[in-house]
Amino acid sequence: MSHQSDRSHHRWVQSHNLPQPQLKLQQQAQKEPMFYYFAYGSCMCPVDLKRSLGENTHDYIIGPAVLKGYRLGFYSYSPTRKCGVLDVLPDDQAHVKGVLYQLPWRLSVNLDKREGVSQSLYRRETVEIHSQNNVYKNTRTYIVVNKLPEELAPNDWYSTVVLRGAVTCGLPEEYCWSLFEHMYKLQQLSQEHLIQAAEKALLPA
């Protein structure tokens, strides 16, 4: 099914299941330009995304989604979060799970700002996303511009936000656990490197 026909189906399903306040919001959203956005990191958490976009984004969630032909990795350093943050890299043998949003176009500028597009931290990428047996061909996501040579561990705060988003938006439990283990292992390796560096500094000259 194309994303255009799915859009009509998606609106029909929502309009027959939403409480009145939410239905009103959905009807208002249909009157303005929208775009699809695939989040795989901290933006999976609608509470954290609201912090940057300035309004509640939970109502714009379509649902769990899959980006095929890519894998996750912490190949970027965030100067605001002061730790390693997520990126996606081409990999024919892998896939990335995340959250598909349908956002109002008026939020596009703030989303670019959050991702550091003007500072060349991330760039927009148009990808094909699979969600709920439907395909969304013109979906926006963000990819790191200058990748680190190896993964950099996230801090506890960033890890918590990512996991909160994954769980809140219904990603499979197995995927949430694999994401947790990936982040935990990176943090453990980082601690080991710090300890080794400290021990080396204490050795007599």
Side-chain angles (χ1 to χ4, degrees):
M1 182 185 294
S2 70
H3 74 260
Q4 289 180 335
S5 60
D6 171 69
R7 184 182 304 175
S8 299
H9 172 73
H10 176 65
R11 288 174 177 171
W12 186 91
V13 171
Q14 284 195 323
S15 65
H16 285 74
N17 291 281
L18 292 175
Q20 278 305 116
Q22 219 172 334
L23 175 59
K24 184 177 180 181
L25 178 62
Q26 183 68 20
Q27 290 171 339
Q28 290 174 343
Q30 292 176 20
K31 297 178 182 178
E32 61 181 315
M34 309 286 283
F35 67 98
Y36 291 110
Y37 165 55
F38 176 72
Y40 56 84
S42 60
C43 287
M44 291 191 294
C45 178
V47 175
D48 196 62
L49 189 56
K50 177 183 178 181
R51 177 179 58 82
S52 301
L53 301 189
E55 65 178 82
N56 183 20
T57 57
H58 194 275
D59 295 329
Y60 299 123
I61 293 173
I62 292 179
V66 178
L67 170 64
K68 297 181 179 180
Y70 287 83
R71 63 180 173 85
L72 281 177
F74 288 84
Y75 290 98
S76 180
Y77 172 79
S78 170
T80 54
R81 300 181 189 270
K82 301 187 185 306
C83 68
V85 291
L86 279 167
D87 180 25
V88 290
L89 301 88
D91 185 338
D92 292 338
Q93 305 303 313
H95 67 272
V96 175
K97 287 186 169 64
V99 177
L100 180 64
Y101 290 87
Q102 187 179 31
L103 297 174
W105 190 261
R106 56 188 160 79
L107 300 180
S108 178
V109 172
N110 283 343
L111 186 58
D112 281 352
K113 183 177 179 180
R114 175 189 172 100
E115 299 298 335
V117 172
S118 63
Q119 291 83 39
S120 295
L121 298 178
Y122 285 81
R123 61 175 174 81
R124 290 186 190 181
E125 183 80 0
T126 300
V127 294
E128 181 177 284
I129 296 298
H130 298 255
S131 178
Q132 302 173 1
N133 297 319
N134 298 306
V135 178
Y136 299 79
K137 292 188 176 180
N138 297 308
T139 301
R140 182 193 306 184
T141 195
Y142 292 86
I143 294 180
V144 170
V145 176
N146 298 308
K147 302 180 189 300
L148 298 174
E150 60 183 38
E151 290 188 278
L152 180 65
N155 59 27
D156 288 340
W157 184 80
Y158 181 80
S159 300
T160 299
V161 172
V162 170
L163 287 173
R164 183 185 296 136
V167 172
T168 299
C169 294
L171 268 62
E173 182 178 349
E174 181 181 355
Y175 187 81
C176 293
W177 274 111
S178 67
L179 191 56
F180 168 79
E181 290 174 355
H182 187 170
M183 294 188 291
Y184 180 74
K185 287 178 181 177
L186 286 176
Q187 290 175 333
Q188 291 298 104
L189 287 173
S190 178
Q191 286 294 105
E192 290 177 9
H193 290 160
L194 288 173
I195 291 172
Q196 290 173 0
E199 290 175 342
K200 186 175 181 181
L202 291 173
L203 291 175

